[in-house]
Structures are given as C-alpha cells and as structure tokens.
Amino acid sequence: MAKNYVMKKNEQGYTMNAMLEESDELDAALVELLHGNHHPGIPEIGVSGKNGTRKITASTALPMTLRQFMNGTMNRVQVLLLLRNISEILLTAVQNFPTKELVLDLDAVFIDPNSLAVNIFACPVNAEKRPLTNEETADFLRNIVSHIFYSANDQDNYVMKVLNAINYQGFDLGQAKGLFEFMVGQQLGNLPPVAYAPAIKPLVEEYESVSSELQPAVSEEEIPVPQPAVSEDEAP
C-alpha cells in the first residue's frame, strides 16, 4: 500500500491519488488486472508518471464515504445489505487478487446512500504477497458492525446473530456472504439462489438457533442506539 494517498471530493464523486516514492514497488501485472474495471465494486485504476514521479489514480461516482454514511442511524435492511455488498467485494478480491490490494479503511470505502452500492479502492503498491485472509476480512466486517448506529425500531437480536457469525471460530467469507444474502432475502421476502443453500446451510442453522457453540459477541443492551449525527450543512 502506498504511504502517500489522498481521497479528494469532486463533482463526480471521489478520486484517490497515490503518490509513489522511488522505493515503492508497483506490480505491473496487478495494475493490468485492475485496469478496465473488470471487478464490480472495485474501481479501475490508472498509473501516470511525469518528471520521474509516479502516481496511481482511481475514481468513484459514489457520493460519500462509509464513515460519513454511518454517522446516521441504520435500520436492519440497510445493515444487512451493506454487509452483503461489502462481503461480495471482499470475496471478489480474495478470489482474483494474489496480493493484498484493497484499502480497508472506513474513509476509503464509498457508498450510495440510496442503493447501498459500495466501492472499495485497490492500490497495488508494496502489497503483501498473499491474498486477504478470512481473519482479516472478519476483522474488517467486525470494525464496520462496531461503528454502526442501530435503529431503535429493530427490536430483535439480529445484530448479535450477525456478530456471532463473524466471530465464529470457523469463519469463512463465502459462507458469511451467503448468510447475509439469506438474511436480506428474509427481510425483503425473497430467497437467495438455490446454489447458495448447501454452502450456507451450517451458518443458516446457527443463525436461526443462535447455537450455544457460538460465543455471543455483545448483548442487546450493549448495542448503542444513538440519534443520527447532524451533518455539516445542518450544523448551526
């Protein structure tokens, strides 16, 4: 990951500019892999150079960062769709990228507040020579869940069940993504594709029963339910 990268707001959304130092290692093969926008949710990157300097750029039309979006209260459907969409992008990276390139930072993940479409930038500089691990993806999902302001109107314990699945000793990103999709389907009145059924069956059973084998991550009383944050435009 490049040390010097900035996210700049513009009329079209956001742009990432990563200035490379002379010692930074840029993997040309991975740049080619990330060029052409072949991976949904991961913006295309470009590399340019001038006067001996090198720069990586990537742009998204999504209007706000994930951290900004999570300043407001989220209901159950929003939470589950967000987790499903982010898990899908993480799974794409795990299956297609041989090294750790995604910028897993709440200020570097972008979202459409209406559709909950998500973009995560990739920066193939000084990347570790291995893909993301299940532990790292679980940590990122856990970080997201811990920053959400939950709606007081959702009275069931779905958040505990989500955290139980993430904290499960045998956590698997593909199964977790299938579970989130299953939970979204329950809320929206449709079921996930039949192909998901065998892979997520164990987690679905644990979700429905909250198996005693899973250690509860938090109690419902410990889940914060603050009011939506005041935006800069609304601030006095």
Side-chain angles (χ1 to χ4, degrees), residues 17-104:
N17 292 301
M19 300 302 299
L20 276 61
E21 298 178 358
E22 185 175 350
S23 60
D24 285 334
E25 180 184 352
L26 180 64
D27 192 319
L30 295 175
V31 169
E32 184 66 25
L33 188 64
L34 289 164
H35 184 71
N37 200 24
H38 301 302
H39 307 288
I42 303 174
E44 175 183 3
I45 70 168
V47 179
S48 59
K50 185 178 182 180
N51 298 327
T53 63
R54 295 174 297 165
K55 180 175 71 172
I56 291 177
T57 59
S59 298
T60 176
L62 302 186
M64 62 173 48
T65 69
L66 183 55
R67 190 184 299 277
Q68 290 169 334
F69 178 72
M70 293 195 300
N71 281 337
T73 299
M74 294 176 63
N75 63 36
R76 175 173 37 221
V77 173
Q78 289 177 311
V79 171
L80 295 175
L81 278 171
L82 174 65
L83 293 174
R84 191 276 305 273
N85 292 346
I86 288 180
S87 297
E88 189 167 30
I89 296 174
L90 294 176
L91 192 59
T92 294
V94 169
Q95 293 174 341
N96 292 279
F97 301 160
T99 59
K100 292 174 56 180
E101 279 125 0
L102 292 189
V103 184
L104 299 184

